Amino acid sequence: MGDQTDVQQTGRAVPAGSLVGIVGAGTMGTGVAQCFAEAGHPVVVVDNDPGALASGPARLHAGIRTATLLRGGSRQARAGTPASRAESLVTWSAELADMAAALLVVECAREDEETKERILRELDRICGPEAIFASNTSCIPVSRLGSFTGRPDRVIGTHFMNPAPLKDAVEVIRAPETSDLTLERTEGFLTRVGKHALVVRDAPGFVTNRVLMLTLNEAAAVLGEGTADAETVDRVFQDCFGHPMGPLRTADLIGLDTIADSLEVLRRHTGEDRFRPCPLLARLVAEGKVGRKSGSGFYQYAPQHLAARGGTGHG
């Protein structure tokens, strides 16, 4: 494995058409893959769940079609990548070894530290010394993730929002070990796909989820205690605060299992019991009612909302 000099010799600019690896073929992984493919990057998406891989191309096609309609083709036109071409740039695999040549790997596995550790250790063995590992972690400190590799200077957090193709901002988390070059190159990749980076310092939950997870958990607690029904809870935030989507619909979109996992990560890394999932949230997750991707959560959803969840081994 090379050192920082090896990386500098490849140049500071992001090479056009460089391979991007995505670990995870679930909702977020497919969305992030779409972003890079639409910008002209070849992408390999890796997951150990055969169902997620089999449904991936259809979900990618639907995502590109929806995004194109919603944004009037403007970003796609700027990138110069027609929808059919973007789809052809994405390949699907069960083997992490297929991203050995990637210059950037975006890890979109479930929010479980052991899973991410296993993936990052394997990527560190497989990928070239110039590769940057960008984790889409919700809450795990990036410094902790970097410690699983021999290249902590090339590990960074890229917290994409859902749906990734339609959100222009990415919360970028820089650990104390993250190098200037890694940050610069990551911002370069994001600029290429039409995103702008909001750089924050490393901490459990960063900015977004340190605040958001408490809000979602408290909204679930209010619902569970009978203070208001789900629709009213959400309407309070929409009508009183101008939020485009209330906290309970937001939770269903993110996935209640992801929220519960994130809260447990925050509780473990902060030592604060206020991050314990409330009884209603814990019960729904235990029942498999984890939001849109399962068909029910705080609300019920029609079949067209269902999405693959991806595997848990390396995806």
Side-chain angles (χ1 to χ4, degrees):
M1 185 166 49
D3 57 17
Q4 186 67 29
T5 303
D6 295 324
V7 181
Q8 290 172 339
Q9 288 173 349
T10 66
R12 302 187 74 88
V14 174
S18 51
L19 178 66
V20 174
I22 307 293
V23 183
T27 300
M28 183 56 73
T30 301
V32 174
Q34 177 182 330
C35 295
F36 284 100
E38 287 185 317
H41 284 279
V43 179
V44 57
V45 181
V46 175
D47 200 302
N48 66 348
D49 180 352
L53 291 177
S55 64
R59 289 183 286 110
L60 176 67
H61 175 81
I64 291 175
R65 183 176 181 275
T66 299
T68 301
L69 291 171
L70 290 176
R71 65 191 177 219
S74 58
R75 184 178 304 158
Q76 184 174 306
R78 291 197 303 272
T81 307
S84 59
R85 169 66 174 155
E87 290 180 54
S88 72
L89 286 171
V90 181
T91 58
W92 308 82
S93 172
E95 302 296 331
L96 285 173
D98 288 339
M99 57 179 66
L103 186 59
L104 175 72
V105 177
V106 184
E107 173 270 305
C108 297
R110 61 170 293 189
E111 193 68 359
D112 174 77
E113 194 167 302
E114 290 184 3
T115 298
K116 291 183 185 294
E117 177 178 2
R118 185 167 59 251
I119 292 166
L120 288 167
R121 289 192 186 281
E122 184 68 4
L123 288 172
D124 197 34
R125 184 184 67 82
I126 290 169
C127 295
E130 73 283 359
I132 291 170
F133 299 155
S135 178
N136 192 54
T137 177
S138 302
C139 295
I140 301 171
V142 172
S143 186
R144 174 66 174 163
L145 298 176
S147 74
F148 301 144
T149 76
R151 61 182 88 190
D153 60 307
R154 276 158 270 168
V155 178
I156 194 167
T158 50
H159 186 202
F160 287 82
M161 305 298 127
N162 190 22
L166 300 178
K167 300 290 186 177
D168 290 336
V170 176
E171 185 182 34
V172 173
I173 304 97
R174 181 178 188 174
E177 302 84 2
T178 305
S179 70
D180 290 342
L181 178 61
T182 296
L183 177 60
E184 183 178 330
R185 278 205 149 185
T186 301
E187 290 179 312
F189 270 108
L190 293 175
T191 298
R192 275 189 176 275
V193 300
K195 310 294 186 188
H196 66 271
L198 298 172
V199 182
V200 304
R201 294 174 62 182
D202 196 20
F206 328 121
V207 173
T208 50
N209 283 336
R210 184 66 174 264
V211 177
L212 179 62
M213 291 301 147
L214 277 176
T215 300
L216 302 184
N217 198 37
E218 284 300 305
V222 165
L223 175 63
E225 292 164 4
T227 305
D229 60 24
E231 188 68 38
T232 302
V233 171
D234 282 344
R235 285 293 300 274
V236 166
F237 279 79
Q238 292 173 281
D239 296 356
C240 296
F241 303 137
H243 292 194
M245 183 184 291
L248 298 177
R249 289 195 188 277
T250 299
D252 276 354
L253 178 63
I254 294 170
L256 306 192
D257 51 343
T258 298
I259 292 166
D261 286 346
S262 297
L263 285 165
E264 289 293 357
V265 169
L266 285 164
R267 188 162 70 99
R268 183 166 63 253
H269 283 280
T270 64
E272 298 180 17
D273 202 57
R274 62 189 175 127
F275 291 106
R276 184 186 298 275
C278 75
L280 176 59
L281 177 62
R283 177 172 64 79
L284 289 173
V285 171
E287 293 172 355
K289 298 175 181 178
V290 294
R292 288 195 181 202
K293 59 190 175 185
S294 69
S296 65
F298 296 119
Y299 295 90
Q300 298 292 319
Y301 298 93
Q304 64 264 28
H305 287 300
L306 304 188
R309 296 171 66 174
T312 57
H314 55 250

